[in-house]
Amino acid sequence: MSTTTYGWLVLAFPLLGTLVTAFGYRYLPGRSAGWIGTAAIFLAFLAALGALISLQGHAPGSRQIVSSLWNYASTMGIDAQMSILVDPLSVFMILVVSGVSTLIHLYSISYMDKDRGFVRYFSYLNFFVFSMLLLVLAGNFLLLIVGWAFVGAASYLLISFWYRRTTATKAGIKAFVINVLGDAGLVLGTYFIFKHTGTLDFLKTFHAVESTAHPAFGHATNNGDLVAGCILLLVGAFAKSAQIPLHTWLPDAMEGPTPVSSLIHAATMVTAGVYLIARMHPLFERAPAAQDVGAVVGAATLLIAGTIGLAQTDIKRVIAYSTMSQIGYMIMGVSVGAYAAGLFHLMTHAFFKALLFMAAGSLIGAMGGEQSLEKMGGFRKAMPFTYACFIVGGLALSGIPPFSGFFSKDEILLVTGERGGWHWILYVAGYIGAFFTAIYTFRMIFRAFHGEPVSEARELEGGHLHHAAIPRNPATGEEEDTDVGFPGPNHAIAERALPMRIAMGLLALGAVGAGLIQIPKVDFVIDDFLRPSFATAKGYEPHTKTGLLVIGLTLGTLIGLAGIALAYRIWIVGGEELKASTAIRERTRPLYELFVNKWYFDELIDALVVKPMAAAGAFARDTFERVFVDETLVGGTTGIVRAGSAAVRAAQSGFVRYYAALLVLGVAGVGFYFLLQT
Amino acid sequence: MSAVLFFIAAIGVIAGAVGVVVLRNPFYSVLALVAHLISLAVLFLLLRAEFVAAVQVVVYAGAVMVLYVFVVAYVGGESDSIGERLRESGPVGSGLRLGGAIVGGALLVELLIALLGTGLEATSGYGAGYVAGPRTFGTPAYIGKLLLTRFLITFELASFLLLIAAVGGVVLARRRGGIGEDEPEVFVPLDVPRPRGTGTMAEGVGAGNGRAPRTDHTQASTVHTGAGQPS
Amino acid sequence: MSISWYLAVSAIVFSLGALGVMTRRNPLVVLLCLELMLNGGNLALIAFSRMWGNGDGQILAIVVMTVAACEVCIGLGMIVAIYRRNLPIDVDELRELQG
């Protein structure tokens, strides 16, 4: 089978899974929908492996293969085709996406057991995976935008999965609105680029831009249209990857089920922005202004998100802000030209973040649905497996060797430092962010697993899984039931569910071992693999000065360990009644307020955007619509017609004599006219 | 001589017409019309239309007016004098009657102007020449020949119209559920495309499938007694 | 008398008939006045036939009489039917067909 056939199969299996589960909604017995969904994604993963093997069989120079199924339209100079591009970058992405997705589907079979929306969940999840694969396999802007939009839609469907919770539906709408803003940016950016290149196809666009004879945007860099287009593409990337200032939807998106958070908001969808910048690297390299914007925003996000993570109490939101922060690293990485490093970090991050979310899901299950860190404590003895997973994920996240996060994160910072100039600020910011990361990650772990066991932990040690008497919304405390639209009555924990343990175990192996394939100066598996995609990228080859390399690696390790030590000091040694952390909180009260209120971004957007739009809408409804349209235009028209017809209707009185009189009058009139004629 | 006869007949015609319009009792109006018709027949004779005059007396005054007499005797009805009517304020009001009178007057004036005042030379003459004889202008033979040659289609259509009117008259005036009440139920193939409740005219007069719906009779009476009120 | 006299009489009879149609309330009398109008027309037809000297007008007058007879038949049938349903015999009251 040819490489591109594997590519189409990768798309076909999840789509088939969606359709089968969707249409077989009533007929699929028990949990078979879950297994069908998982099998579909697993088959996609196998097809991705096939694509990988087949692709490596080609010569390095010809590893960018396009396959087109049919033409949508070829009018007015727009070549809209349904084509996929199979090259190392897309194969890398589909492997990561389908691999992690398979494990998450497996995990979900146990997690969503007994939920009334079980089949619907797997249908949506398969649809999401299909959309993400479409996005990364797209060979032209058209399918990219289609995949982008589908991913946003799937995210909305899954965030508001428990649709009877108002918090969930509001979060879904918020996510969708911000994503649509990004979609608009993406489409406008495409327009700006299309204006000069005249083609929607990726390879043709890149050739047009890079050609030495007639470059589409001129020989100089920073052509106005190109910069505008790239910045608009960045808007799309920021919205999808939750960077400042379009990040407010990500914490709210934690309203969705935990596997959803794990898949969409950690491993796959939020990485779409990173993929976009990497894919469009020929364009960005000719618009360094846009690259700088990306790098600055990435660095800002990683700092701000890190500080917010220090103050959050909802365990899922801590992990969400950590995701935002790590994506900031990736965006910064691909914006400064560290493509291989950024994408490598994407892969390792997918492993350990998905693992952290899964473990968090298990912990929430043990707490009977409660998500607040303030109510958790001392689960170490009751949940050893979950604790081990948390530790592995946390160490990877904090960048401690030999875990994978260490290699990927430090390589990004290395390349950033090598760029020199003002990029040193980003370099320093990166390490400060790493420090914060270590602190809040281990704050979370120590608070949840160390200290005095809470009642739920004691129950579990005694062998009984805690269930709340009345199910409640963890955010607002509202009462719920376990019927369709709300979470089911079952709470799954890893210690008791084999599928969960398998999934988490495999991810833990990945988190530990994935770093080994890209140890600096030793092996360059990812670099070599991705090179054909970045053949024309400047600075792709790392020429690290060994001095900087050593400094960077040691600094990274030291900062990570320092962060863990600080967290230990505050929350374990000073952890009785949270004495130490409360003391620090009191001393840094203003900073604490800023962090816990998420730097007031929500309030800012509310005041700047939401309230004016709501006022405009109210004005339109109350004044314009009511007065102009309803009363004047519509009412006026009907009024005139009514009056006219009432006037005419008066002639139909029903009196025969009246009609006769009119008749005679008419005859007399006609006669009079003819008399005048003669 | 003919001038005197003309004036006598003309006065009879106009007097009869006035009587129809003015007289209060409808029966008197009918009688006035009869007088009017006979005077009109005399006028026809003066115009050498012997056959038409005869037809007028026999058919119009003899048959149609007799029919009128029967119906007026059955229905009756009082009318008030024209003076009172012009002054009363009914749903239409005296304004309409006054207006009607004015319009009628206008019509008369116009017609007179049209017919007389335009200076038509032909009408100021005495008409075409006349030669007496068995088949000349106005004799039955003459009319008959015309009817069967030049005006054949008109003749046929007129007879058709009479047939329709006769049938219509019978249908209109028949009592509900009348003639076919005691007949046994006979299947008529013509009833197949006329199922019950579809509102065919046959059903309306009680000749369709299953005969007339009985309830309509009383319902119609109770509904229609109040139908005259302004809604 | 010249033809114009007959035409004058015809015009007077026709107008009187129109006046009666507009003025009277009893439908029977309205029909009678309608007959008057028809007769006025008949007289005009016969007069013109005499003027031209052919029988067309007379044939048409016979046809008009036929039509008048048919119309009277139907009209009276309707009045009888109305009377049978105990409705008032008054054109001012019979006005359900209104807008």
Side-chain angles (χ1 to χ4, degrees):
Chain A
M1 281 213 273
S2 77
T3 318
T4 46
T5 318
Y6 283 115
W8 289 113
L9 279 179
V10 166
L11 285 178
F13 284 127
L15 185 61
L16 208 59
T18 310
L19 293 173
V20 166
T21 42
F23 286 118
Y25 165 68
R26 279 187 208 290
Y27 312 112
L28 293 170
R31 304 200 295 186
S32 56
W35 291 107
I36 292 175
T38 312
I41 309 298
F42 184 62
L43 286 172
F45 178 66
L46 291 179
L49 280 176
L52 170 71
I53 296 170
S54 156
L55 188 70
Q56 295 301 93
H58 292 258
S62 58
R63 282 196 194 148
Q64 295 195 297
I65 309 166
V66 175
S67 153
S68 176
L69 268 193
W70 69 77
N71 278 346
Y72 275 149
S74 299
T75 61
M76 297 193 44
I78 300 180
D79 52 340
Q81 296 187 316
M82 179 126 138
S83 64
I84 60 171
L85 169 64
V86 181
D87 80 340
L89 176 58
S90 41
V91 169
F92 178 81
M93 292 297 297
I94 59 178
L95 279 172
V96 169
V97 168
S98 55
V100 175
S101 303
T102 315
L103 296 175
I104 293 178
H105 274 78
L106 191 61
Y107 176 90
S108 307
I109 297 178
S110 304
Y111 191 83
M112 300 296 287
D113 189 30
K114 297 285 183 303
D115 190 308
R116 289 290 305 278
F118 188 78
V119 181
R120 179 169 59 106
Y121 173 83
F122 277 97
S123 183
Y124 286 166
L125 210 61
N126 269 19
F127 174 63
F128 168 77
V129 177
F130 165 72
S131 324
M132 187 71 200
L133 292 170
L134 183 65
L135 198 161
V136 297
L137 273 175
N140 57 14
F141 279 100
L142 182 72
L143 276 188
L144 176 75
I145 294 173
V146 168
W148 201 269
F150 276 178
V151 166
S155 166
Y156 163 76
L157 287 172
L158 285 164
I159 292 173
S160 40
F161 180 73
W162 287 318
Y163 53 83
R164 284 166 66 200
R165 275 188 184 172
T166 32
T167 46
T169 50
K170 280 195 192 145
I173 292 177
K174 186 171 177 178
F176 197 63
V177 170
I178 297 181
N179 262 302
V180 166
L181 201 67
D183 283 358
L186 187 66
V187 172
L188 284 174
T190 308
Y191 164 69
F192 272 103
I193 294 166
F194 175 78
K195 208 166 73 157
H196 285 260
T197 57
T199 171
L200 286 177
D201 189 75
F202 282 156
L203 291 182
K204 294 203 189 103
T205 308
F206 298 154
H207 285 150
V209 171
E210 290 167 350
S211 94
T212 43
H214 298 284
F217 289 97
H219 289 278
T221 56
N222 280 337
N223 175 316
D225 274 348
L226 184 60
V227 171
C230 288
I231 292 191
L232 285 167
L233 288 179
L234 279 182
V235 167
F238 292 159
K240 195 67 80 181
S241 297
Q243 302 296 292
I244 310 280
L246 297 167
H247 66 285
T248 45
W249 62 273
L250 188 59
D252 287 8
M254 297 298 121
E255 290 286 334
T258 309
V260 165
S261 306
S262 154
L263 178 61
I264 299 186
H265 307 124
T268 46
M269 186 178 100
V270 292
T271 58
V274 181
Y275 164 77
L276 182 71
I277 301 178
R279 174 62 82 197
M280 301 290 157
H281 72 269
L283 301 171
F284 278 92
E285 301 220 331
R286 263 161 201 72
Q291 279 191 320
D292 292 340
V293 170
V296 169
V297 168
T301 308
L302 74 91
L303 275 182
I304 293 179
T307 54
I308 302 178
L310 288 174
Q312 290 298 307
T313 51
D314 184 325
I315 191 173
K316 283 178 75 174
R317 277 172 175 72
V318 174
I319 308 180
Y321 280 106
S322 133
T323 305
M324 211 188 286
S325 181
Q326 297 302 306
I327 308 254
Y329 273 104
M330 294 179 222
I331 298 255
M332 189 174 80
V334 292
S335 291
V336 301
Y339 302 111
L343 290 166
F344 181 47
H345 194 55
L346 193 155
M347 181 174 95
T348 57
H349 173 261
F351 292 151
F352 56 71
K353 196 48 66 68
L355 175 66
L356 277 176
F357 265 114
M358 284 187 183
S362 172
L363 183 59
I364 293 171
M367 288 289 297
E370 182 55 59
Q371 290 178 209
S372 170
L373 270 177
E374 309 202 323
K375 301 204 173 75
M376 299 181 189
F379 270 97
R380 213 169 14 151
K381 220 170 15 158
M383 304 183 75
F385 183 78
T386 310
Y387 179 57
C389 288
F390 257 110
I391 294 284
V392 168
L395 287 174
L397 180 54
S398 310
I400 309 293
F403 294 91
S404 55
F406 168 66
F407 295 106
S408 52
K409 194 190 303 190
D410 280 286
E411 204 171 320
I412 294 179
L413 293 172
L414 218 50
V415 179
T416 313
E418 275 180 15
R419 285 283 293 257
W422 59 274
H423 290 95
W424 285 111
I425 306 177
L426 302 181
Y427 185 77
V428 171
Y431 279 112
I432 298 177
F435 185 55
F436 287 155
T437 306
I439 298 179
Y440 63 64
T441 309
F442 278 89
R443 160 182 179 252
M444 172 177 71
I445 297 177
F446 291 153
R447 278 187 77 164
F449 288 93
H450 289 251
E452 271 300 306
V454 293
S455 56
E456 289 90 349
R458 288 208 191 284
E459 267 189 68
L460 196 52
E461 285 172 28
H464 173 253
L465 187 58
H466 170 79
H467 279 85
I470 308 170
R472 283 184 188 278
N473 183 333
T476 60
E478 279 175 56
E479 279 187 27
E480 302 174 343
D481 55 64
T482 56
D483 206 356
V484 69
F486 278 132
N490 202 37
H491 295 295
I493 60 172
E495 280 72 11
R496 292 192 181 182
L498 184 62
M500 289 168 85
R501 281 210 298 282
I502 296 177
M504 290 161 79
L506 285 171
L507 282 176
L509 282 177
V512 172
L516 298 172
I517 62 176
Q518 180 93 337
I519 302 177
K521 294 276 191 218
V522 176
D523 55 359
F524 299 94
V525 174
I526 302 284
D527 269 354
D528 290 338
F529 176 64
L530 287 175
R531 187 167 296 124
S533 284
F534 297 99
T536 57
K538 292 197 291 265
Y540 184 76
E541 309 299 335
H543 26 263
T544 355
K545 314 183 217 15
T546 316
L548 189 58
L549 177 66
V550 171
I551 292 176
L553 292 180
T554 16
L555 201 53
T557 317
L558 283 178
I559 287 181
L561 288 173
I564 298 178
L566 186 58
Y568 187 85
R569 169 78 185 76
I570 299 178
W571 279 287
I572 293 192
V573 173
E576 292 304 313
E577 308 296 323
L578 296 175
K579 275 202 312 274
S581 71
T582 328
I584 295 179
R585 190 186 305 174
E586 292 309 312
R587 276 217 293 257
T588 57
R589 191 88 219 174
L591 266 184
Y592 175 75
E593 287 297 318
L594 183 66
F595 295 160
V596 99
N597 282 311
K598 302 164 282 185
W599 287 63
Y600 296 109
F601 264 105
D602 275 325
E603 288 76 4
L604 192 68
I605 291 179
D606 193 46
L608 280 183
V609 177
V610 176
K611 286 217 164 35
M613 301 253 61
F619 170 75
R621 180 195 64 203
D622 290 333
T623 311
F624 187 75
E625 179 80 15
R626 195 168 56 85
V627 174
F628 288 145
V629 180
D630 273 349
E631 288 182 12
T632 315
L633 281 181
V634 175
T637 316
T638 53
I640 290 174
V641 171
R642 273 226 186 93
S645 62
V648 173
R649 211 187 311 130
Q652 296 286 329
S653 58
F655 292 118
V656 177
R657 291 193 298 158
Y658 186 55
Y659 299 158
L662 284 177
L663 233 128
V664 174
L665 186 65
V667 170
V670 170
F672 188 62
Y673 170 74
F674 279 114
L675 276 183
L676 286 181
Q677 293 288 76
T678 57
Chain B
M1 179 60 184
S2 63
V4 172
L5 205 51
F6 169 76
F7 273 110
I8 295 173
I11 287 171
V13 163
I14 293 175
V18 169
V20 168
V21 173
V22 164
L23 286 172
R24 190 195 307 200
N25 196 334
F27 200 75
Y28 295 161
S29 298
V30 174
L31 294 178
L33 190 67
V34 174
H36 163 88
L37 288 171
I38 296 183
S39 309
L40 206 59
V42 172
L43 276 183
F44 285 171
L45 279 175
L46 281 171
L47 283 171
R48 299 282 185 208
E50 299 123 22
F51 183 67
V52 180
V55 166
Q56 171 95 331
V57 171
V58 168
V59 168
Y60 222 133
V64 176
M65 284 301 121
V66 169
L67 181 61
Y68 250 107
V69 164
F70 273 121
V71 173
V72 169
Y74 178 51
V75 171
E78 289 274 328
S79 283
D80 17 30
S81 77
I82 195 163
E84 216 177 275
R85 272 180 270 123
L86 276 179
R87 268 177 266 117
E88 99 179 7
S89 58
V92 182
S94 61
L96 178 61
R97 287 175 215 125
L98 200 56
I102 293 173
V103 170
L107 186 63
L108 171 65
V109 168
E110 271 182 32
L111 280 174
L112 286 176
I113 296 174
L115 290 172
L116 305 176
T118 53
L120 286 172
E121 285 177 11
T123 54
S124 54
Y126 289 92
Y130 178 75
V131 176
R135 286 218 175 83
T136 50
F137 174 80
T139 54
Y142 184 73
I143 302 289
K145 194 170 81 147
L146 278 181
L147 271 180
L148 291 174
T149 53
R150 277 180 62 200
F151 293 97
L152 183 61
I153 295 181
T154 315
F155 173 58
E156 295 296 335
L157 283 178
S159 53
F160 207 51
L161 183 64
L162 278 170
L163 177 65
I164 296 171
V167 171
V170 167
V171 164
L172 270 177
R174 213 166 63 170
R175 199 177 289 275
R176 265 293 167 78
I179 295 178
E181 208 169 28
D182 299 330
E183 275 175 14
E185 290 286 330
V186 175
F187 176 70
V188 178
L190 213 51
D191 283 344
V192 169
R194 300 186 302 185
R196 276 193 89 158
T198 50
T200 55
M201 200 158 134
E203 195 172 312
V205 297
N209 285 339
R211 305 303 164 200
R214 288 277 175 262
T215 54
D216 282 295
H217 188 55
T218 44
Q219 183 196 26
S221 317
T222 49
V223 163
H224 284 290
T225 38
Q229 311 309 316
S231 50
Chain C
M1 311 303 297
S2 65
I3 303 294
S4 20
W5 286 96
Y6 293 91
L7 295 179
V9 171
S10 153
I12 292 171
V13 167
F14 184 82
S15 316
L16 278 173
L19 179 70
V21 165
M22 289 188 280
T23 317
R24 296 295 299 244
R25 279 172 62 174
N26 192 333
L28 283 168
V29 181
V30 168
L31 279 172
L32 282 177
C33 297
L34 209 54
E35 301 300 316
L36 268 185
M37 290 164 79
L38 282 168
N39 279 315
N42 261 355
L43 183 57
L45 276 170
I46 303 291
F48 280 121
S49 147
R50 177 73 178 95
M51 185 179 93
W52 290 111
N54 55 21
D56 293 359
Q58 295 183 6
I59 302 290
L60 212 45
I62 294 177
V63 174
V64 167
M65 267 185 239
T66 312
V67 169
C70 302
E71 160 231 327
V72 159
C73 168
I74 303 293
L76 290 180
M78 277 210 298
I79 293 177
V80 164
I82 291 174
Y83 180 72
R84 278 252 196 79
R85 279 157 187 68
N86 304 318
L87 292 167
I89 306 297
D90 183 341
V91 289
D92 285 346
E93 303 292 327
L94 293 169
R95 51 185 180 90
E96 272 184 49
L97 273 177
Q98 60 175 320

